[in-house]
Amino acid sequence: MSDLEAFREEVRAFLEEHAPKSLRGTSPCGPFDGYWGGKKHPPVDPDVLRWRDVCYERGFTAPTWPREYGGAGLSRKHAAILWEEMRAMGLPRPVVGFGFAMIGPTLLEYGSEELKREHLPKIARGEIRWCQGYSEPGAGSDLANVQMRAERDGDHFILNGQKIWTSHADKSDWIFCLVRTNSSAKKQQGITFILVDMETPGVTPRKIDLISGSSPFCETFFENVRVPVRNVVGEIDKGWTVGKALLAHERANIGSSIGRMPGSGQRELVDRARRHLAWSEGKIEDAVLREQIAELGMIEEAFQLTLDRVAQKAQSGNPGSESSILKVVATELKQRRYELGQAIGGLQSLGWEGPGFDADDLAFTREWLRSRANTIEGGSSEIQRNIIAKQVLGLPEVK
Amino acid sequence: MSDLEAFREEVRAFLEEHAPKSLRGTSPCGPFDGYWGGKKHPPVDPDVLRWRDVCYERGFTAPTWPREYGGAGLSRKHAAILWEEMRAMGLPRPVVGFGFAMIGPTLLEYGSEELKREHLPKIARGEIRWCQGYSEPGAGSDLANVQMRAERDGDHFILNGQKIWTSHADKSDWIFCLVRTNSSAKKQQGITFILVDMETPGVTPRKIDLISGSSPFCETFFENVRVPVRNVVGEIDKGWTVGKALLAHERANIGSSIGRMPGSGQRELVDRARRHLAWSEGKIEDAVLREQIAELGMIEEAFQLTLDRVAQKAQSGNPGSESSILKVVATELKQRRYELGQAIGGLQSLGWEGPGFDADDLAFTREWLRSRANTIEGGSSEIQRNIIAKQVLGLPEVK
Amino acid sequence: MLAETARKLVEGKAKVARIRELRRPDHPTGFSRELFAEMAELGFTALSIPEDFGGMGLGLFDLAQILESLGRELAPEPVLTTAVLGAVPLLRGGSDDQKQWFLPSLAAGETVVTLALDEAGMRDRWFSPKTRLERSAEGFALSGEKIQVADALVADAFIVTCESPSGLALALVDAKAPGVSIERQFRVDSRAVGIVRFDGVAVRESDLLQGDARAILQETLDRAAVALSAEMLGAAEKAFADTVGYLKERVQFGVPIGSFQALQHRAATLYCELQLLRSAVMAAARAADEAPEAFPRLAALAKATANETFLHVAKEAIQMHGGVGMTDEFDIGFYLKRAQAAAVTFGDTSHHRRRWAELNGY
Amino acid sequence: MLAETARKLVEGKAKVARIRELRRPDHPTGFSRELFAEMAELGFTALSIPEDFGGMGLGLFDLAQILESLGRELAPEPVLTTAVLGAVPLLRGGSDDQKQWFLPSLAAGETVVTLALDEAGMRDRWFSPKTRLERSAEGFALSGEKIQVADALVADAFIVTCESPSGLALALVDAKAPGVSIERQFRVDSRAVGIVRFDGVAVRESDLLQGDARAILQETLDRAAVALSAEMLGAAEKAFADTVGYLKERVQFGVPIGSFQALQHRAATLYCELQLLRSAVMAAARAADEAPEAFPRLAALAKATANETFLHVAKEAIQMHGGVGMTDEFDIGFYLKRAQAAAVTFGDTSHHRRRWAELNGY
């Protein structure tokens, strides 16, 4: 029996023994489905916390992290087996969130020993919830156009400015920010990557409503916020390097989080067709809509096969420019899927709330609207295509 | 009775009396369907020449041109009535070609009195056939990147260089060219618009085969070709202005020549569907192809309605940036139509020549391939979109 | 002229931002009564009603231009409802009494008559309603449920498509008649549509529209499709103009984003589509008045083109606005919501393509 | 390894430009006999034939990589024909005698057996051929006409789909049998296909393939679709690579045209599509060997994706090459011609979407 097979056995035994019965069969085990943790988290089912604790004990909340930071020191292949086995039992990951998907890996790569020891175990235990402070109202796709000022005052920085699209800022304990520490330097220079405790006086999150209704997004205002210099990740004025590395983690998560449930998009469309369209002899009667569903179903499958292929190729190392391809394809596919779903729904696709629409239709309307943001957030499709053109295809800079 | 109505009566009477019976019902009366004239034209039906002569007599070969240059001095509205009535009788225009569509209007606007008197009547009578010497192998869409040199030698220029895409150069008597008379000036300056007799020693056309087979296109080589300075149209070194005005005429012709036969594209697809697809109850059985034909049929109709609308708006004056819109829409529609036609044809869409394919299918294959050039020639779709973005929408220059 | 007046009116008093007010669940009508009164005074509701009935006797072409102006700011006042959904069936099938009673007050904007057309699961099978008109002691009894009925909340009467013993029928029913109940629905585009239920509502023979019900309904649907297309044209052009404005003014990477060629080309493509849409809508509206034989075909053309173009423009408008375009604080999102609602009303693209194919003999 | 060999072979001796030679009407075969012999020697034809019959016993996954390499230069040598159209039906339905007779010589590249499948007006109704197999004194008589039969000119035998008294049948017919006539067809992609006519050709019971003819034909078509998709993947990738190269080198307006963002974004889109195509083709080819239950679905996926992507790439390749791309002197046009031919062979996009929908239960 190979080492991996042995590990699979071990995981199965562990799960069989420790996974709370009440959680089995409840979740797809994705990186954003489950317990987000943090101090502001509302009370949860004790089984959720028990599950978190038994996993944390084994380092299984962040299995690839070193043991000294709360992980299990496992290889990516081993970790993949762990998630596979949890998924097979329909278990949620014990703790989820941006701590694992973004700031954790970034701290491991760029953080000081002190910062790693301080933050990683708390992330791994879900004690502290993190949010992202990158975008600013004037910046948009031009992320490096950071205007939020950080002025040095002894062993502190004083932060003033505003971040936007800070998802879940109202529920988070800490925020990682790009701030401008040097305004005379060229744009990508003079940026610093810094960690801010949201309880510091002067930090104020405010929720943003989207066209799809309420959302996890916030604006976060910073007014004379004092942050210790030791909270800088990487070097002062060199934060753009750190920030870019984190972006690649973000993109990879957006791409793969869409592809996690093979065929689920097609199934959703077929279900919708079952509720809204005429069928005969086991087929959707409307041949045009039927072929359109097939068209998107095929793209979905080809995308998932691409995810697998990328995963095999990149068993180690950071996500590279592949993440741009995955992000473009996944988000544009998702939009087309919701558009087609709306066409299938006809008048029933127009529900906002109240009578005459069922819960599925109401949710679908909101998700359709929400999907329009997918090609904007996390690096717009335009930015991703620029990256593909230059970094993958080697086309020359736009003059 | 209004003046226009009276003119219509007059035209009808004229046609009834003079139009040869053998030509009635033979042609759509488009600007490129009919007798191209010129010294190299093969012998034609005497009725064609008789038709040319009676029309020329009345100035009806170039009705909007002033009488002194062989025209009839008619307004655009009057001319439109003339073409309408000819079309109603299925008569060809008496003479067609680039002389009318391009160089004629350009000479009227920019030519010296001497050049007008020399060339326009010959165009109007179809004695001289013209071709266009704009593109060069290295230039492509960057038309102003003219490399063909014209060096002054007393009252002559000596031309050396190469033009490409000189349609029908092998059948033409004269060519109008953009040449570089000043290579130290900025790109758009130092260009001169000049008329060249193709019988001058040193002018050599060579035919170009396309992916669709033989074509009217040529390369034309110039080796120490002596051209009198008096053949310059407009000012020396200021030919780009003249050249651009001519391009707008060309674009307008490309757009409108596609739109001349209302519904003909859809009819062609439906005919093709009749030959290649199953029908039931008067409908194409394949609902997907049926809706695709309808989609393109609708674009075609909307395009034709747009042509009408533009024509009404611009009863006088030169074609402006509208021509870019028409050109983009018409050529991309045409490509989609051929693509759909190929899908309808299935395996029968693959014929190149010989057994197993009928004449319609063989012609369709070639036209499908030929249509790929439509979005390249006469200013590519990319160039047209640049023009629309800047001149119509006022978007800023690409930095 | 009137179109210009309409444009000034909406730009002055009815900017799209007011939807945030109108969409509140406690808003009584979903549109502005005052503004509608002003519109009526300016003649918008009278425009296409014959002079004999207090109207101005103009055609769909003129009405379309008004609707285009209103569409620019997504004004929800029931002009299309009264002038088309109410007036057209009455003009074509109303008895003299019905005409005399309703048309002048429709023209004056004092009455709202709307069409109770759609049913759950019906899609575009409008000629086979499940709503039933059955013989009863006093004449007929009407039973059924209609959904997303335009301006149901303020309607004084409904023209109800129903299946009678002799086939499709159009019944004119008073909104206050016993057995009629109305429930407001909340739709993504914030239009105040409603569910209307008919529970054995008494209908007299004289309440039924006369003539060929199928022909009347088809003509009403064709005209409604073109009228809505005109509204969509205005909306799409406005969303596009706002987006081009944003492209010029929004700076990223040190330059206006409108200087990026990829965005320029997409904007140019949208502009071309808008030109075709304008041509289609104008031709269809004109044909309604001048070329009835071409009208059904052109109506299909106008609506299919409007569906595709408005949605395309609205999606690109959000993408080009970037993040702020997704926020409820910005207005551009209203256009996407309206585009989807309009696209599935009076026939989606597929419906009109099939109809076009049929009318063209394939 | 073999794929690398194949790639070197075509790049060394079989660049696409040779099509100008092969397409001449007087060319006897439309491909190079010498090169095909060399391919056979390298094992391309033997690769997927079992070791028992002189082959290498590898699967479709390995064959697909060879075909992908050949596809890069549009090599027309009959590798797919012999290894799939000939070998698969024989392997599945051939008698021991037939297998012993044909498979070793197919493996050696000495014999060409092809599938006589398509008929005029048949489109994708391959399971209802008009070609008839009727009882006769000596057994059966085969009559009908097949079109665009791959490599008909050089085939030693045809596997003919036909309607027999007991339903669909596959008859193995010698190319030299009395009553068989072959006529070369000239196709846009310059592949030497032919019309094959069967005029009462004598067929013995033992000439018919055994087993479920529908299942054998379906599996042959699925494998052929994937094999062709692999060829198309190689072709599309090469056309794309050439185009990206051209974008970098062609200067207009003083800069490489590849610096124009509108072209960059379109190139990026094509690149994404090519990634999905590669994934689909590899997964389908692998499933043929390892996951037979998923194979039909993945075959439909691979071919539909190949159709769309190769055509899209080929059209954009011409557009981005500009005028020179339209000339017969440049090679890029060959890719467009091949894309169209490949797209309608073994099922067009619509066919495979419908099949996908069916296999997915809707």
Side-chain angles (χ1 to χ4, degrees):
Chain A
M1 193 156 67
S2 78
D3 162 53
L4 288 175
E5 283 163 32
F7 179 69
R8 194 182 291 278
E9 292 304 319
E10 183 188 329
V11 166
R12 281 187 187 154
F14 169 81
L15 296 180
E16 204 43 67
E17 183 177 350
H18 295 291
K21 296 270 186 299
S22 68
L23 300 183
R24 302 184 188 190
T26 65
S27 170
C29 189
F32 298 117
D33 309 291
Y35 176 59
W36 283 69
K39 298 186 222 161
K40 299 171 191 166
H41 205 285
V44 290
D45 179 350
D47 276 354
V48 168
L49 298 180
R50 205 167 306 134
W51 174 227
R52 186 260 321 256
D53 289 337
V54 292
C55 286
Y56 179 73
E57 197 71 16
R58 287 285 288 262
F60 282 178
T61 61
T64 60
W65 296 4
R67 286 174 187 278
E68 61 264 43
Y69 308 132
L74 294 178
S75 76
R76 278 164 178 266
K77 281 190 185 172
H78 286 83
I81 286 172
L82 176 65
W83 302 138
E84 267 169 44
E85 291 302 320
M86 286 192 189
R87 192 179 303 125
M89 289 180 70
L91 286 163
R93 295 195 184 188
V95 196
V96 299
F98 301 153
F100 298 92
M102 295 187 209
I103 185 65
T106 307
L107 279 176
L108 278 171
E109 197 176 348
Y110 293 98
S112 67
E113 189 56 32
E114 184 186 0
L115 289 177
K116 287 192 237 184
R117 291 201 180 271
E118 177 181 351
H119 293 291
L120 292 175
K122 290 185 188 159
I123 294 171
R125 249 198 117 228
E127 286 172 28
I128 295 296
R129 179 166 176 171
W130 285 83
C131 66
Q132 180 182 34
Y134 266 40
S135 286
E136 297 185 10
S141 287
D142 186 7
L143 275 182
N145 184 16
V146 172
Q147 299 294 328
M148 187 162 122
R149 279 172 302 119
E151 274 160 29
R152 185 73 177 253
D153 179 21
D155 55 359
H156 282 73
F157 281 109
I158 316 289
L159 274 49
N160 275 289
Q162 183 185 350
K163 292 290 178 184
I164 194 169
W165 310 121
T166 48
S167 312
H168 301 293
D170 57 326
K171 297 178 190 156
S172 296
D173 308 301
W174 281 69
I175 182 168
F176 50 90
C177 288
L178 295 177
V179 297
R180 181 148 307 277
T181 37
N182 184 343
S183 49
S184 58
K186 277 208 315 192
K187 200 167 68 176
Q188 270 88 347
Q189 287 143 28
I191 293 174
T192 297
F193 190 108
I194 197 165
L195 311 179
V196 183
D197 184 338
M198 293 194 71
E199 287 186 1
T200 321
V203 181
T204 319
R206 190 174 73 93
K207 294 202 70 175
I208 297 175
D209 276 348
L210 292 187
I211 59 173
S212 47
S214 64
S215 84
F217 290 119
C218 295
E219 292 175 286
T220 303
F221 300 89
F222 293 77
E223 203 185 336
N224 295 322
V225 178
R226 290 181 66 85
V227 183
V229 170
R230 65 174 198 87
N231 282 9
V232 169
V233 180
E235 290 177 53
I236 291 172
D237 287 355
K238 302 269 169 68
W240 182 240
T241 314
V242 183
K244 268 198 309 184
L246 187 141
L247 282 180
H249 290 293
E250 182 187 9
R251 274 202 299 277
N253 268 302
I254 292 173
S256 66
S257 70
I258 289 173
R260 263 176 307 111
M261 303 261 282
S264 62
Q266 176 172 267
R267 266 200 304 279
E268 194 173 11
L269 288 176
V270 173
D271 285 350
R272 206 163 161 77
R274 223 174 286 284
R275 291 191 294 119
H276 293 294
L277 300 178
W279 287 58
S280 75
E281 299 173 19
K283 287 183 195 170
I284 298 166
E285 267 184 12
D286 187 318
V288 175
L289 289 173
R290 181 169 177 252
E291 281 199 24
Q292 286 172 348
I293 297 173
E295 180 183 0
L296 297 192
M298 284 186 171
I299 297 176
E300 182 179 36
E301 176 111 11
F303 171 72
Q304 277 154 349
L305 293 167
T306 305
L307 272 186
D308 295 347
R309 200 157 61 82
V310 169
Q312 278 161 21
K313 246 172 50 181
Q315 281 294 3
S316 64
N318 289 321
S321 43
E322 279 105 0
S323 61
S324 289
I325 298 157
L326 300 179
K327 206 255 167 187
V328 165
V329 174
T331 55
E332 296 183 358
L333 168 63
K334 188 168 166 194
Q335 291 183 339
R336 292 181 65 188
R337 189 192 289 154
Y338 279 109
E339 288 168 32
L340 180 55
Q342 289 293 79
I344 292 169
L347 280 175
Q348 290 311 107
S349 71
L350 304 181
W352 186 251
E353 54 194 20
F357 303 103
D358 66 24
D360 281 348
D361 288 335
L362 291 173
F364 204 93
T365 306
R366 308 278 184 140
E367 284 161 23
W368 160 65
L369 285 165
R370 180 63 183 77
S371 76
R372 300 315 309 175
N374 296 151
T375 50
I376 298 169
E377 63 203 347
S380 68
S381 286
E382 288 80 7
I383 294 291
Q384 306 305 338
R385 286 196 165 84
N386 286 345
I387 293 173
I388 296 168
K390 274 156 220 155
Q391 295 182 15
V392 183
L393 304 180
L395 291 172
E397 277 295 323
V398 174
K399 284 286 154 21
Chain B
M1 192 156 65
S2 78
D3 163 52
L4 288 175
E5 284 163 30
F7 179 68
R8 192 181 292 277
E9 292 303 318
E10 186 189 326
V11 166
R12 281 185 187 159
F14 168 81
L15 295 180
E16 203 44 67
E17 185 179 346
H18 293 292
K21 297 269 187 296
S22 68
L23 300 183
R24 300 184 189 189
T26 63
S27 169
C29 190
F32 298 115
D33 308 290
Y35 176 58
W36 283 70
K39 294 187 222 161
K40 299 171 191 165
H41 204 286
V44 289
D45 180 350
D47 276 354
V48 168
L49 298 180
R50 204 167 304 133
W51 172 228
R52 186 260 321 257
D53 290 336
V54 292
C55 286
Y56 179 72
E57 197 72 14
R58 286 284 291 264
F60 281 179
T61 60
T64 60
W65 296 4
R67 284 174 189 278
E68 61 266 41
Y69 307 132
L74 295 178
S75 75
R76 277 163 177 268
K77 282 189 184 172
H78 285 82
I81 287 173
L82 177 64
W83 302 138
E84 268 171 42
E85 291 301 319
M86 285 192 190
R87 191 179 303 127
M89 288 180 70
L91 286 162
R93 295 196 183 186
V95 197
V96 299
F98 301 154
F100 299 92
M102 295 189 209
I103 185 66
T106 306
L107 279 176
L108 279 171
E109 199 177 347
Y110 293 98
S112 66
E113 188 57 30
E114 186 188 358
L115 289 177
K116 287 192 238 184
R117 289 201 182 270
E118 177 182 350
H119 293 291
L120 293 175
K122 288 183 189 159
I123 294 171
R125 252 200 114 227
E127 287 172 28
I128 295 296
R129 179 167 176 171
W130 285 83
C131 67
Q132 181 182 32
Y134 267 40
S135 287
E136 297 184 9
S141 286
D142 186 8
L143 275 182
N145 183 17
V146 171
Q147 298 296 328
M148 186 162 121
R149 281 171 301 119
E151 274 160 29
R152 186 71 176 255
D153 179 23
D155 55 359
H156 282 73
F157 281 108
I158 315 290
L159 273 51
N160 276 289
Q162 183 185 351
K163 292 291 179 183
I164 194 169
W165 310 122
T166 48
S167 312
H168 301 293
D170 55 327
K171 296 178 189 157
S172 297
D173 308 301
W174 279 71
I175 183 168
F176 50 91
C177 289
L178 295 177
V179 296
R180 180 147 310 274
T181 36
N182 184 342
S183 49
S184 57
K186 277 208 314 191
K187 199 168 68 175
Q188 269 89 347
Q189 286 141 31
I191 293 173
T192 297
F193 190 107
I194 198 165
L195 312 179
V196 182
D197 184 339
M198 294 195 69
E199 286 187 1
T200 320
V203 181
T204 318
R206 190 174 72 93
K207 296 202 71 176
I208 297 175
D209 276 349
L210 292 187
I211 59 172
S212 47
S214 64
S215 85
F217 290 120
C218 295
E219 293 176 284
T220 302
F221 299 89
F222 293 78
E223 203 187 336
N224 295 321
V225 177
R226 291 181 66 84
V227 184
V229 170
R230 67 176 198 85
N231 282 10
V232 169
V233 180
E235 290 177 51
I236 291 172
D237 287 354
K238 302 270 170 66
W240 183 241
T241 314
V242 184
K244 268 199 307 185
L246 187 141
L247 282 180
H249 291 292
E250 183 188 8
R251 274 202 300 275
N253 268 301
I254 292 173
S256 66
S257 69
I258 289 172
R260 265 175 305 110
M261 305 260 283
S264 62
Q266 175 172 266
R267 266 200 305 280
E268 193 173 12
L269 288 176
V270 173
D271 285 350
R272 206 163 161 77
R274 222 175 285 284
R275 291 192 293 120
H276 292 294
L277 299 177
W279 288 58
S280 74
E281 299 174 19
K283 286 182 196 170
I284 299 166
E285 267 183 14
D286 186 319
V288 175
L289 289 173
R290 181 168 175 253
E291 281 199 23
Q292 286 173 347
I293 297 173
E295 179 182 0
L296 297 192
M298 284 186 171
I299 298 176
E300 182 180 37
E301 176 111 9
F303 171 72
Q304 277 154 351
L305 293 166
T306 305
L307 272 186
D308 296 348
R309 200 158 61 82
V310 168
Q312 276 160 24
K313 246 172 48 183
Q315 280 294 1
S316 63
N318 290 322
S321 43
E322 279 105 359
S323 61
S324 290
I325 298 157
L326 300 180
K327 207 255 168 189
V328 165
V329 174
T331 55
E332 295 183 356
L333 167 62
K334 190 170 164 190
Q335 290 183 338
R336 292 181 65 188
R337 189 193 288 154
Y338 279 109
E339 288 168 31
L340 180 55
Q342 290 293 79
I344 292 170
L347 280 177
Q348 291 311 106
S349 70
L350 304 180
W352 186 250
E353 56 194 17
F357 304 103
D358 67 22
D360 281 349
D361 288 334
L362 290 174
F364 205 93
T365 306
R366 307 278 185 140
E367 284 161 23
W368 160 65
L369 285 166
R370 180 64 184 76
S371 75
R372 300 315 309 177
N374 296 150
T375 50
I376 298 170
E377 63 204 346
S380 68
S381 285
E382 287 80 6
I383 293 291
Q384 307 304 338
R385 286 195 166 85
N386 285 345
I387 293 173
I388 297 167
K390 274 156 219 156
Q391 296 181 14
V392 184
L393 304 180
L395 291 172
E397 276 296 325
V398 173
K399 283 286 153 23
Chain C
M1 242 297 289
L2 269 173
E4 199 47 40
T5 311
R7 187 154 167 175
K8 281 195 190 124
L9 183 71
V10 291
E11 281 174 6
K13 302 188 179 174
K15 296 291 282 181
V16 68
R18 74 190 166 114
I19 288 181
R20 292 192 190 82
E21 186 61 29
L22 300 177
R23 72 182 173 186
R24 289 173 46 192
D26 58 352
H27 194 284
T29 55
F31 63 89
S32 158
R33 285 272 192 200
E34 296 71 34
L35 206 63
F36 183 55
E38 201 168 333
M39 288 175 181
E41 206 152 301
L42 289 167
F44 299 177
T45 47
L47 189 104
S48 60
I49 287 175
E51 290 168 273
D52 292 353
F53 301 106
M56 296 162 71
L58 296 171
L60 186 56
F61 187 72
D62 295 281
L63 180 64
Q65 293 183 54
I66 302 284
L67 291 170
E68 182 192 322
S69 296
L70 301 186
R72 290 180 65 85
E73 299 290 339
L74 306 178
E77 280 68 26
V79 176
L80 190 159
T81 299
T82 56
V84 181
L85 303 184
V88 172
L90 282 166
L91 272 166
R92 294 296 175 277
S95 64
D96 288 347
D97 276 2
Q98 286 170 330
K99 287 183 189 169
Q100 290 296 352
W101 183 263
F102 281 104
L103 291 175
S105 94
L106 281 176
E110 288 159 3
T111 297
V112 172
V113 179
T114 188
L115 189 66
L117 174 72
D118 290 297
E119 300 174 3
M122 173 186 249
R123 296 191 78 88
D124 61 357
R125 294 181 298 276
W126 295 301
F127 295 89
S128 310
K130 291 203 191 83
T131 298
R132 287 264 170 274
L133 189 71
E134 285 168 341
R135 292 266 170 214
S136 71
E138 310 85 53
F140 297 95
L142 181 71
S143 295
E145 182 176 310
K146 297 288 183 176
I147 61 163
Q148 300 192 34
V149 175
D151 297 302
L153 295 166
V154 299
D156 300 286
F158 299 101
I159 295 164
V160 186
T161 59
C162 52
E163 192 68 28
S164 78
S166 54
L168 183 74
L170 298 168
L172 184 61
V173 178
D174 193 290
K176 300 208 171 52
V180 176
S181 62
I182 300 159
E183 186 176 17
R184 178 162 181 180
Q185 290 188 277
F186 297 92
R187 225 167 59 168
V188 70
D189 64 343
S190 306
R191 293 285 168 110
V193 298
I195 299 173
V196 184
R197 296 188 182 84
F198 303 95
D199 185 11
V201 177
V203 172
R204 293 161 303 177
E205 182 80 42
S206 64
D207 293 330
L208 302 182
L209 299 199
Q210 295 151 23
D212 179 349
R214 299 183 72 85
I216 295 170
L217 180 58
Q218 185 64 60
E219 189 182 346
T220 306
L221 289 172
D222 285 346
R223 285 181 175 261
V226 174
L228 181 54
S229 299
E231 186 193 313
M232 293 163 83
L233 167 64
E237 284 193 342
K238 181 60 162 47
F240 180 69
D242 286 352
T243 302
V244 170
Y246 189 78
L247 290 177
K248 290 177 188 173
E249 126 206 324
R250 168 72 164 165
V251 172
Q252 288 202 343
F253 304 102
V255 294
I257 59 173
S259 69
F260 290 117
Q261 196 192 33
L263 298 186
Q264 290 187 347
H265 280 203
R266 281 155 54 188
T269 299
L270 295 176
Y271 183 77
C272 291
E273 288 174 19
L274 283 167
Q275 294 311 304
L276 297 203
L277 174 57
R278 172 163 288 284
S279 308
V281 170
M282 287 174 64
R286 188 171 273 128
D289 307 327
E290 296 171 9
E293 76 295 344
F295 178 59
R297 232 168 44 84
L298 289 170
L301 171 67
K303 186 59 174 33
T305 309
N307 290 348
E308 294 300 290
T309 303
F310 188 13
L311 267 171
H312 189 197
V313 166
K315 288 186 294 182
E316 283 283 59
I318 299 234
Q319 184 70 20
M320 291 183 185
H321 273 80
V324 295
M326 280 299 296
T327 64
D328 192 54
E329 269 184 83
F330 258 65
D331 295 337
I332 198 73
F334 291 129
Y335 289 87
L336 177 63
K337 293 172 173 183
R338 180 63 187 148
Q340 181 69 31
V344 296
T345 300
F346 308 137
D348 64 12
T349 303
S350 203
H351 168 84
H352 286 292
R353 284 187 186 151
R354 290 193 302 263
R355 187 159 155 74
W356 167 274
E358 201 166 291
L359 292 169
N360 280 284
Y362 59 89
Chain D
M1 243 293 290
L2 268 173
E4 199 48 40
T5 310
R7 188 153 165 176
K8 279 193 192 127
L9 182 71
V10 291
E11 281 174 6
K13 302 189 179 173
K15 297 290 284 181
V16 67
R18 75 189 166 116
I19 289 182
R20 292 192 190 81
E21 185 61 29
L22 300 177
R23 73 183 171 185
R24 287 173 47 193
D26 57 354
H27 194 285
T29 55
F31 64 89
S32 158
R33 285 273 190 198
E34 294 72 33
L35 207 62
F36 183 54
E38 199 167 336
M39 290 175 180
E41 206 152 301
L42 289 167
F44 299 178
T45 47
L47 190 104
S48 59
I49 288 178
E51 291 169 270
D52 292 353
F53 301 106
M56 296 162 70
L58 297 171
L60 187 56
F61 187 72
D62 294 281
L63 180 63
Q65 293 184 53
I66 300 287
L67 291 170
E68 182 192 322
S69 295
L70 301 187
R72 290 179 66 84
E73 300 291 339
L74 305 178
E77 281 67 28
V79 175
L80 190 158
T81 299
T82 55
V84 181
L85 303 185
V88 172
L90 282 167
L91 272 167
R92 294 296 175 279
S95 62
D96 288 346
D97 277 1
Q98 286 170 330
K99 287 183 190 168
Q100 291 295 354
W101 183 262
F102 282 105
L103 292 175
S105 94
L106 282 176
E110 289 159 4
T111 296
V112 173
V113 178
T114 188
L115 189 66
L117 174 73
D118 289 296
E119 299 175 4
M122 173 187 251
R123 297 192 78 89
D124 62 357
R125 295 181 297 278
W126 295 300
F127 295 89
S128 311
K130 291 205 191 80
T131 298
R132 287 264 169 277
L133 189 71
E134 286 168 341
R135 290 263 170 218
S136 72
E138 310 85 53
F140 298 96
L142 180 71
S143 295
E145 182 176 309
K146 298 288 183 176
I147 60 165
Q148 300 192 34
V149 176
D151 297 302
L153 296 167
V154 299
D156 299 287
F158 299 101
I159 295 163
V160 186
T161 59
C162 52
E163 192 69 28
S164 78
S166 54
L168 183 74
L170 298 168
L172 183 60
V173 177
D174 192 290
K176 297 204 175 54
V180 176
S181 61
I182 300 159
E183 187 176 16
R184 175 161 182 181
Q185 291 189 280
F186 297 93
R187 227 167 60 169
V188 69
D189 64 344
S190 306
R191 294 284 169 111
V193 299
I195 300 174
V196 183
R197 297 188 182 85
F198 303 93
D199 186 12
V201 176
V203 172
R204 290 161 305 177
E205 183 79 42
S206 63
D207 295 330
L208 301 183
L209 299 197
Q210 293 152 23
D212 180 348
R214 298 183 74 86
I216 295 171
L217 180 57
Q218 186 64 61
E219 190 184 344
T220 305
L221 289 172
D222 284 347
R223 286 182 174 258
V226 174
L228 181 54
S229 299
E231 185 194 314
M232 294 164 82
L233 168 63
E237 285 193 342
K238 180 59 163 47
F240 180 69
D242 285 352
T243 302
V244 170
Y246 189 78
L247 290 177
K248 289 178 189 173
E249 120 206 329
R250 168 71 165 165
V251 172
Q252 288 202 344
F253 304 102
V255 294
I257 59 174
S259 68
F260 291 116
Q261 196 191 33
L263 298 186
Q264 290 187 346
H265 280 203
R266 282 155 53 190
T269 300
L270 295 177
Y271 183 77
C272 292
E273 289 174 18
L274 283 167
Q275 294 312 304
L276 298 203
L277 173 58
R278 172 164 287 284
S279 309
V281 169
M282 287 174 64
R286 188 171 273 125
D289 307 328
E290 296 172 9
E293 75 296 343
F295 179 59
R297 232 168 45 83
L298 289 171
L301 171 67
K303 186 59 174 36
T305 309
N307 291 346
E308 294 301 289
T309 302
F310 187 15
L311 266 171
H312 189 197
V313 166
K315 288 187 295 183
E316 284 284 57
I318 298 235
Q319 184 70 22
M320 291 182 184
H321 273 80
V324 295
M326 280 298 296
T327 63
D328 191 53
E329 270 182 80
F330 258 66
D331 295 337
I332 197 74
F334 291 130
Y335 289 87
L336 177 63
K337 293 173 173 182
R338 181 62 187 151
Q340 180 69 31
V344 296
T345 301
F346 308 137
D348 64 12
T349 303
S350 203
H351 168 83
H352 287 291
R353 284 187 185 150
R354 291 193 303 264
R355 187 159 156 75
W356 168 274
E358 203 167 289
L359 292 168
N360 281 284
Y362 59 90

